Amino acid sequence: MNHPTDAVKTPSKWAILFTVLIMTFMATLDSSIVNVALPVMQKALNAGLDQIQWVSSVYLLTMCAFLLVFGRLGDLHGKVRYFEVGVVIFSIGSLMCGLSTTLPALVISRAVQGIGGASAMANNMGIITEAFPARERGRALGLLASFVALGMMCGPVLGGFIVAVLPWEYIFLINVPVGLISLVIGHFTLPRTMHDHKPGKMDVVGSLMLIPGMLLTFLSITMLQSNAGPLVVAALVAGLVLLALFVRHERACAEPLINLDLFRDKHFMVNLACLFISFVAIGVYELMTPFYLQDARGFDPGLSGLIFCIIPLVNAVAGPISGAISDRVGCEPLTCLGLATFATGLFLIGTLGMGEGIPQILLFLGLASLGTSIFQAPNNSLIMGSVPVEMLGFAGSASALARYLGMAVGISGSTSLLYGQMSVAAGRPVTAFVEGRPDIFLYGHRFVYVVTAALVAVGFALTLARMVQKRRTHRA
């Protein structure tokens, strides 16, 4: 589907892209940068392990809850406006995090960060899609996909460097000047008006069901891993009821928050499902790789960080190239190639044991990263190209929701699978690495990667079926 935006030629389109990429990198970086600093924060704030993990999870959960609402607001009142609002709120939340002296204050501040990140991330793809004609959109969205992946992958490396030389507060305070700089640049580069959208009303009732429904559901699911008490179960039930009422309300609403008809488009759903699957797998190997390198192989954190760098390096090179190629040859073949390569790389990572050298580890990690790099940009183009221009904000926010939900599912799911299989191998319940028994870890490690590779292979099958069906339709 071609948008009216295809005829738009904005002289400052690359400046628009640069501004959006700054904030995109900063927001995605903060979804992973805190993980390496959690042990330091735990000691400084005198918190338990079950408490400090909320510093990481509340950011992702808050973003997921608010993404769709800010996507709709961007469609109604301007994507640039809500992108900039997001930068402001994110920067304020970062300052609050850096000034926090207690764990509750830090968790609340991270929630504020999450709200700001949601507003920015819900509208970044829409801004880029409006600014670039179709023949260049793949390249632009390829750069965006690379910066999303770079932010997520560079977080542990950059976070480790910062906490090694500075107090932990600086992993948040560093965002404040970056946010201010992006606002100043955006004032001169971002378009004030791109298109005159049809006037509409915000579905306030639907929003008041969706936000608490998602928050209650995600928070209670996270808490069920450590506390399955009646209060948590009640919160889960309440969240699911609110989400069910939200769907019922949306079907009857004249101007819904979410156009549910869009989910009847099987091509849009395949693209979104494959995006979700790819980020489930990204969450898996982002979590599992440091455990394999440091616990099983005994590499020090510095060497592990250097090995880990292969993932963002491959992404930075391959992502834009994939986007540029997709502009010439089409998106479907590259999404198939990307997921096939990704599944192969994940399976090979699962075969790693105690004897492989660093070059082989780099090769397998790089192959997996190459697969997701090839896939992301053309898949983003397919998602944004399958909706009308007045729904670009929603499509962008739905994509961001699929990414963050996928990461959360990948992290929590792989942890459960890993320790479950380690318990089988050990013959007793295991919830941590067993010193002197890397074979127990590798047993669970292999199982997790086989399951993850199979899941990505399902995504490959979906994209292949879509491509074959599309070609048959064109021939007919």
Side-chain angles (χ1 to χ4, degrees):
M1 180 184 296
N2 291 327
H3 301 304
T5 57
D6 295 347
V8 175
K9 294 184 179 179
T10 308
S12 58
K13 60 190 174 187
W14 293 107
I16 293 171
L17 177 64
F18 174 73
T19 307
V20 171
L21 291 182
I22 293 175
M23 181 58 197
T24 298
F25 179 80
M26 189 168 65
T28 53
L29 185 78
D30 255 58
S31 67
S32 61
I33 194 173
V34 301
N35 294 338
V36 72
L38 287 180
V40 179
M41 295 183 198
Q42 181 183 359
K43 294 175 183 176
L45 299 173
N46 194 28
L49 185 60
D50 59 331
Q51 298 170 316
I52 201 68
Q53 63 95 15
W54 284 105
V55 176
S56 178
S57 59
V58 75
Y59 178 78
L60 287 172
L61 298 177
T62 308
M63 285 194 75
C64 289
F66 283 86
L67 275 166
L68 296 179
V69 172
F70 281 122
R72 176 60 176 163
L73 285 170
D75 282 335
L76 289 176
H77 305 297
K79 298 171 189 62
V80 169
R81 175 183 299 177
Y82 278 92
F83 179 82
E84 291 179 327
V85 166
V87 174
V88 171
I89 296 174
F90 184 90
S91 301
I92 292 172
S94 298
L95 180 62
M96 291 170 60
C97 288
L99 299 177
S100 297
T101 56
T102 65
L103 181 62
L106 181 57
V107 171
I108 291 171
S109 301
R110 285 286 281 171
V112 174
Q113 262 193 320
I115 294 172
S119 186
M121 296 297 288
N123 291 287
N124 59 356
M125 288 177 68
I127 293 173
I128 292 173
T129 303
E130 287 187 347
F132 282 80
R135 65 181 180 276
E136 297 177 338
R137 194 174 297 148
R139 186 189 308 172
L141 291 175
L143 284 168
L144 180 68
S146 291
F147 271 70
V148 169
L150 279 171
M152 289 179 173
M153 299 304 179
C154 289
V157 179
L158 183 59
F161 173 77
I162 291 176
V163 296
V165 298
L166 294 168
W168 64 265
E169 290 89 346
Y170 280 86
I171 65 174
F172 302 113
L173 292 176
I174 196 174
N175 292 328
V176 179
V178 175
L180 291 175
I181 291 170
S182 65
L183 275 176
V184 172
I185 295 174
H187 178 75
F188 297 101
T189 60
L190 293 179
R192 298 301 103 185
T193 56
M194 290 290 286
H195 294 280
D196 293 324
H197 298 304
K198 295 179 181 179
K201 294 181 180 179
M202 184 65 186
D203 180 12
V204 177
V205 175
S207 301
L208 294 176
M209 293 178 182
L210 178 65
I211 293 175
M214 294 186 77
L215 281 175
L216 285 171
T217 301
F218 297 152
L219 288 171
S220 56
I221 289 174
T222 303
M223 293 174 69
L224 278 174
Q225 298 183 36
S226 58
N227 175 22
L231 192 59
V232 176
V233 174
L236 176 60
V237 171
L240 292 174
V241 168
L242 280 172
L243 291 178
L245 291 174
F246 168 75
V247 172
R248 182 180 178 183
H249 167 79
E250 292 297 285
R251 287 175 175 169
C253 184
E255 295 188 63
L257 181 68
I258 299 173
N259 187 345
L260 296 176
D261 291 337
L262 189 59
F263 292 101
R264 296 191 180 99
D265 183 336
K266 58 185 177 182
H267 295 301
F268 177 79
M269 287 303 297
V270 166
N271 300 333
L272 205 61
C274 290
L275 180 66
F276 173 80
I277 287 172
S278 71
F279 272 86
V280 170
I282 288 173
V284 170
Y285 76 82
E286 182 179 286
L287 177 76
M288 299 286 287
T289 301
F291 281 102
Y292 168 74
L293 295 174
Q294 295 181 46
D295 287 345
R297 298 301 302 270
F299 298 148
D300 63 69
L303 179 57
S304 298
L306 288 174
I307 294 172
F308 203 85
C309 282
I310 189 66
I311 297 173
L313 284 175
V314 170
N315 228 297
V317 174
I321 294 174
S322 173
I325 293 174
S326 71
D327 288 335
R328 295 178 177 272
V329 304
C331 297
E332 285 84 1
L334 286 174
T335 56
C336 291
L337 175 63
L339 289 179
T341 306
F342 194 16
T344 303
L346 290 168
F347 179 81
L348 291 174
I349 293 171
T351 66
L352 291 172
M354 297 298 292
E356 289 78 8
I358 291 178
Q360 190 170 348
I361 296 172
L362 290 173
L363 176 63
F364 291 172
L365 289 175
L367 185 64
S369 183
L370 177 63
T372 187
S373 303
I374 294 172
F375 166 78
Q376 295 295 336
N379 192 70
N380 285 342
S381 293
L382 288 172
I383 290 174
M384 301 306 286
S386 62
V387 300
V389 66
E390 64 271 12
M391 294 189 68
L392 287 174
F394 168 73
S397 60
S399 299
L401 178 59
R403 287 197 298 268
Y404 286 107
L405 272 182
M407 286 279 291
V409 170
I411 290 170
S412 60
S414 62
T415 303
S416 300
L417 285 176
L418 175 67
Y419 290 136
Q421 291 301 304
M422 286 176 65
S423 298
V424 171
R428 58 183 174 83
V430 171
T431 56
F433 184 81
V434 181
E435 291 297 333
R437 294 293 307 275
D439 57 301
I440 293 177
F441 171 82
L442 290 173
Y443 181 86
H445 179 265
R446 187 176 303 111
F447 181 82
V448 170
Y449 274 101
V450 168
V451 171
T452 307
L455 180 63
V456 175
V458 171
F460 164 73
L462 289 173
T463 58
L464 183 62
R466 176 195 60 197
M467 183 174 69
V468 170
Q469 183 185 25
K470 213 170 195 179
R471 289 184 175 178
R472 285 177 179 172
T473 302
H474 285 167
R475 287 172 185 170

